Amino acid sequence: MRSFFLTKAALLSAKRYKIDWYGSFLSPLLTILPAILLYYLGTRSGLVHFFYGATNTKNIFGYLLLGAAYWNYVEVLWGAVFALRYYMRIGQIEEIFLMPVSTLGYIFSWSALGLVRVTIESIPIIILAALSNVMTLTISGLLLSAAVLVLSVAASFGLVFTFFGATLSFKEGDELVSLLGNAAPLLGGMFFPVSVLPKTLQYISYAFPFTWGLDLTRHFLMNTNTLLNTKRELLVLAALSVMYLVLGVLSFKILQIKARKNGLQGF
Amino acid sequence: MSLQKGDATVKRVIELRGIRKSFGKHIVLNGVDFFASEGDFRVIVGENGSGKTTLLKIMIGLLLPDEGQVKVLGIDVKKHWKKLSSRTGVVLANERSLYWKLSAWENLDIFGGIYGVPRKVRREKAKELLERVGLWEHKDKPVENFSTGMRKRLLLCKALIHNPKILFIDEILNGLDPAAVREMVDYLSELNSSGLTIVMISHVLHVLPDNAQVALLRNGKIEIQARYRDIKGEKNDVYKVFERLIKGSDGDENDLAGDQGD
């Protein structure tokens, strides 16, 4: 309950920053451009057939739009890392440490606003993604994909907190966040199935909860192939969620202990 | 632990024993003992870099000592510092503790909520505090438009919104104009008279309340503890007295060192 007030503070602060709503709505839609280009090139070059073999769908446009809609949620995660690093730099993290809020409470409060905002901003692209997959859309598929989204986002926030703790050990932490943030769409299957990646990169992508989340979301909405059978994949996602949430909490606790031992100047 | 002070039984609320703290090879605190009883007004003074803020952060749990015991309100701060936070108020020197995009009213509403104050109570308390520190007319202005003095006053309100038992303050008087310094100290004295224990770090020394107990931090230790009125004495230039005490070149030092506050 107390962490709700942290969310409220973030929400009210965001409102005062004069959000560029046109830009916020249009930016996710711009992801359509590479989708159109890929679709055009795909049909001309025979890539559609290649995709069909790996995904069981010829609807590249719907495939990409779904990836883009999902990816907006993943983007929120990287935003959370930058926000936390900013709190560290200006020293506000000390005030945050002092608050009688649990670690999970912090994780919830910093995630909630981003999730609400990205859902609102992504409405146009979600509608487009749904329309482009209307032939394979079912109510149960929609509900299952929503559940998978929630689970994979929870896991991803755990991953982000783990990653946040790790970046504090490097002076070039911001660059590291950017590097992984830029590589993640390619490794996580936003544009193409991870099964076409080289083996080594596939193993890296399997470590990301969003790889499994996106794979299952597409399966439930588009009937695409999955990396494993659906039940196993759901188990993997659930296990990753628990693991990353535990790691995230641990990472934050370690950060607190380090800060208490060395002071914030120690980072 | 309770102590007898005249007829009244006074409860000890802060106990620090043998505190040592280093950052790398730099020894900041080298065996500090510090005690405060319920209702005390303690002021920690010392040169820049003498370890005042480090000591205060150890008391509230933000820093762990390398050695020593820290008990505040009976809580072992090294282990259970989070239990302490809703019972103490803290004003850190960093003004970014506040949400700058939010108004004074919103800040108090949010901090009150975070510290578990029920909605009705925190609204009444926020109004009372803002009126008392002269910010009521500015309650709807964003903090980013506040002057330094206004932000300091709001930081104090934020620290008091949940009715803490002890107030820890780091250099709240810096950057205030003379009248604002006087008003702030008057308000702190008023709070102290009503029973609130206060521990304050300050470089502004000319208007401290007479009953304040001043602790001088030097060479990593608390070397002198004395009542402000005894330090001030008949001399008007209190800064000169403190300067000599800090440099360790005043014969008065021996007369003042008797009251170690234990």
Side-chain angles (χ1 to χ4, degrees):
Chain A
M1 189 57 201
R2 290 179 179 193
S3 52
F4 162 78
F5 287 94
L6 279 172
T7 308
K8 187 179 173 185
L11 180 69
L12 290 174
S13 297
K15 263 175 71 182
R16 306 288 148 76
Y17 269 108
K18 291 184 184 164
I19 298 168
D20 172 15
W21 288 106
Y22 294 112
S24 298
F25 275 102
L26 284 175
S27 299
L29 277 174
L30 289 177
T31 335
I32 296 171
L33 292 177
I36 293 171
L37 195 64
L38 272 171
Y39 181 71
Y40 173 75
L41 292 173
T43 44
R44 297 273 295 187
S45 64
L47 196 67
V48 171
H49 294 288
F50 175 66
F51 258 52
Y52 182 65
T55 62
N56 191 36
T57 182
K58 287 180 182 172
N59 184 4
I60 295 186
F61 193 62
Y63 185 92
L64 290 168
L65 277 183
L66 211 53
Y70 184 93
W71 213 260
N72 288 331
Y73 286 89
V74 180
E75 286 294 322
V76 175
L77 310 179
W78 304 118
V81 179
F82 280 115
L84 285 169
R85 291 183 61 81
Y86 172 71
Y87 289 145
M88 289 292 290
R89 270 199 301 273
I90 65 170
Q92 197 174 8
I93 201 94
E94 283 193 326
E95 188 67 43
I96 290 168
F97 280 160
L98 280 176
M99 292 171 181
V101 176
S102 69
T103 308
L104 272 177
Y106 290 130
I107 295 180
F108 164 78
S109 65
W110 285 321
S111 349
L113 172 69
L115 291 180
V116 170
R117 188 176 161 184
V118 80
T119 302
I120 296 168
E121 288 172 3
S122 298
I123 285 172
I125 198 166
I126 289 171
I127 291 171
L128 271 175
L131 285 176
S132 63
N133 292 296
V134 77
M135 300 300 283
T136 49
L137 213 60
T138 61
I139 298 290
S140 61
L142 260 178
L143 292 175
L144 278 167
S145 61
V148 163
L149 178 72
V150 171
L151 196 61
S152 60
V153 165
S156 302
F157 270 109
L159 170 75
V160 158
F161 269 73
T162 312
F163 191 61
F164 169 61
T167 59
L168 292 172
S169 308
F170 303 97
K171 272 191 178 165
E172 295 78 15
D174 282 345
E175 286 74 11
L176 202 66
V177 176
S178 301
L179 179 71
L180 198 59
N182 290 330
L186 300 171
L187 294 172
M190 177 181 165
F191 296 116
F192 46 77
V194 294
S195 56
V196 304
L197 287 170
K199 271 281 175 228
T200 323
L201 291 181
Q202 277 186 40
Y203 290 129
I204 296 173
S205 73
Y206 294 155
F208 297 135
F210 38 77
T211 302
W212 304 97
L214 183 52
D215 196 48
L216 280 166
T217 305
R218 278 187 177 130
H219 171 71
F220 290 130
L221 295 178
M222 300 180 70
N223 213 13
T224 50
N225 291 338
T226 48
L227 294 162
L228 303 172
N229 78 47
T230 319
K231 271 189 183 170
R232 274 195 186 170
E233 202 157 313
L234 277 167
L235 278 174
V236 169
L237 183 58
L240 282 178
S241 304
V242 173
M243 185 185 87
Y244 279 122
L245 272 179
V246 170
L247 282 177
V249 169
L250 278 177
S251 171
F252 196 75
K253 281 188 185 290
I254 291 168
L255 163 70
Q256 273 188 342
I257 292 168
K258 272 180 78 177
R260 291 180 75 204
K261 273 188 179 165
N262 308 323
L264 285 185
Q265 70 275 21
F267 293 99
Chain B
M1 185 177 181
S2 295
L3 303 171
Q4 296 294 322
K5 219 182 214 184
D7 292 335
T9 303
V10 185
K11 197 171 147 197
R12 185 170 277 169
V13 287
I14 300 174
E15 295 182 58
L16 273 75
R17 292 176 195 275
I19 300 297
R20 291 177 201 279
K21 182 72 187 171
S22 306
F23 294 106
K25 287 180 180 171
H26 177 56
I27 299 167
V28 181
L29 302 174
N30 192 15
V32 170
D33 295 322
F34 182 87
F35 306 93
S37 299
E38 202 169 38
D40 276 357
F41 194 137
R42 296 262 167 175
V43 181
I44 303 171
V45 301
E47 280 184 308
N48 288 331
S50 59
K52 301 182 297 298
T53 299
T54 300
L55 183 61
L56 188 117
K57 284 185 179 177
I58 285 174
M59 287 187 218
I60 58 176
L62 267 181
L63 280 175
L64 279 168
D66 301 331
E67 277 178 47
Q69 300 300 314
V70 189
K71 264 194 176 182
V72 176
L73 293 167
I75 295 169
D76 181 348
V77 180
K78 282 159 73 178
K79 286 183 188 162
H80 307 294
W81 66 305
K82 281 282 186 178
K83 282 185 188 167
L84 187 69
S85 61
S86 51
R87 298 176 65 192
T88 54
V90 178
V91 180
L92 294 171
N94 187 354
E95 289 174 21
R96 297 305 300 226
S97 301
L98 297 164
Y99 291 98
W100 279 31
K101 284 284 169 191
L102 307 193
S103 68
W105 179 261
E106 287 166 335
N107 263 283
L108 293 187
D109 185 44
I110 279 162
F111 277 104
I114 289 170
Y115 282 87
V117 185
R119 183 186 160 95
K120 197 180 167 212
V121 179
R122 73 172 178 266
R123 295 197 162 207
E124 282 168 7
K125 185 75 181 173
K127 185 172 188 288
E128 176 198 320
L129 288 168
L130 289 172
E131 280 177 344
R132 178 61 188 81
V133 301
L135 288 178
W136 180 246
E137 286 168 30
H138 308 283
K139 69 179 169 64
D140 295 321
K141 282 185 193 164
V143 172
E144 65 185 352
N145 293 347
F146 276 21
S147 66
T148 300
M150 290 162 83
R151 279 189 207 127
K152 300 256 181 186
R153 280 183 275 163
L154 186 59
L155 277 168
L156 182 62
C157 295
K158 183 225 83 176
L160 293 169
I161 190 77
H162 55 295
N163 275 327
K165 301 271 179 217
I166 307 177
L167 185 60
F168 293 96
I169 310 170
D170 192 357
E171 301 194 10
I172 201 171
L173 304 177
N174 287 11
L176 300 184
D177 64 58
V181 167
R182 175 78 63 186
E183 279 171 26
M184 182 68 84
V185 171
D186 285 349
Y187 185 39
L188 291 174
S189 291
E190 189 184 307
L191 289 167
N192 179 242
S193 303
S194 64
L196 183 69
T197 309
I198 297 176
V199 177
M200 178 168 82
I201 290 173
S202 185
H203 288 295
V204 177
L205 307 167
H206 60 283
V207 286
L208 297 179
D210 277 350
N211 69 325
Q213 291 159 292
V214 180
L216 171 68
L217 194 57
R218 188 170 64 189
N219 302 321
K221 288 185 176 178
I222 294 206
E223 295 201 343
I224 296 168
Q225 294 194 73
R227 292 219 176 261
Y228 179 71
R229 64 169 162 258
D230 296 332
I231 296 174
K232 195 173 64 170
E234 297 302 313
K235 301 167 188 172
N236 288 323
D237 193 349
V238 73
Y239 282 98
K240 241 176 194 161
V241 178
F242 273 106
E243 199 182 323
R244 284 190 201 135
L245 286 173
I246 288 170
K247 299 281 180 209
S249 60
D250 197 310
D252 295 6
E253 192 172 314
N254 294 329
D255 302 332
L256 297 169
D259 179 10
Q260 290 297 313
D262 193 351

